[in-house]
Amino acid sequence: YRPILHFTERDIWDTTLYFDIPYCRLYEEGYRSLGAKTTSLKLDDLPAWEQDLENTEERGGRRQDKEKTMARLRMLGYM
């Protein structure tokens, strides 16, 4: 049984804050999903755990153009 698999994003933040688990400070600046500098976008000025986690997508702040990037890499011979 792996209970963390059933955690929501809210559960993760509640647990992280309750147990004072270290996290990246960008979450305090409004980021909810971190990737590359060029693909991570801040969705709000509120810390991640204060945002509307139940009615918005966690990865909404990530650029979703991966297919274009992969096609370009293939075209350039990287794959």
Side-chain angles (χ1 to χ4, degrees), residues 4-52:
I4 196 165
L5 294 177
H6 303 287
F7 272 29
T8 63
E9 186 180 4
R10 172 74 59 210
D11 295 331
I12 296 293
W13 278 116
D14 288 346
T15 302
T16 299
L17 297 172
Y18 181 82
F19 289 104
D20 199 25
I21 297 170
Y23 56 86
C24 179
R25 297 289 176 210
L26 290 174
Y27 291 113
E28 291 179 0
E29 296 178 19
Y31 291 87
R32 283 185 49 206
S33 181
L34 302 177
K37 281 185 174 185
T38 58
T39 61
S40 297
L41 305 171
K42 183 163 66 165
L43 294 177
D44 201 321
D45 288 327
L46 292 172
W49 57 88
E50 291 182 13
Q51 295 180 29
D52 184 4

Side-chain angles (χ1 to χ4, degrees), residues 60-74:
R62 297 277 288 276
R63 283 194 0 220
Q64 302 297 320
D65 60 354
K66 292 180 190 141
E67 289 305 316
K68 286 183 194 175
T69 303
M70 295 301 287
R72 182 158 192 254
L73 290 173
R74 284 198 264 322

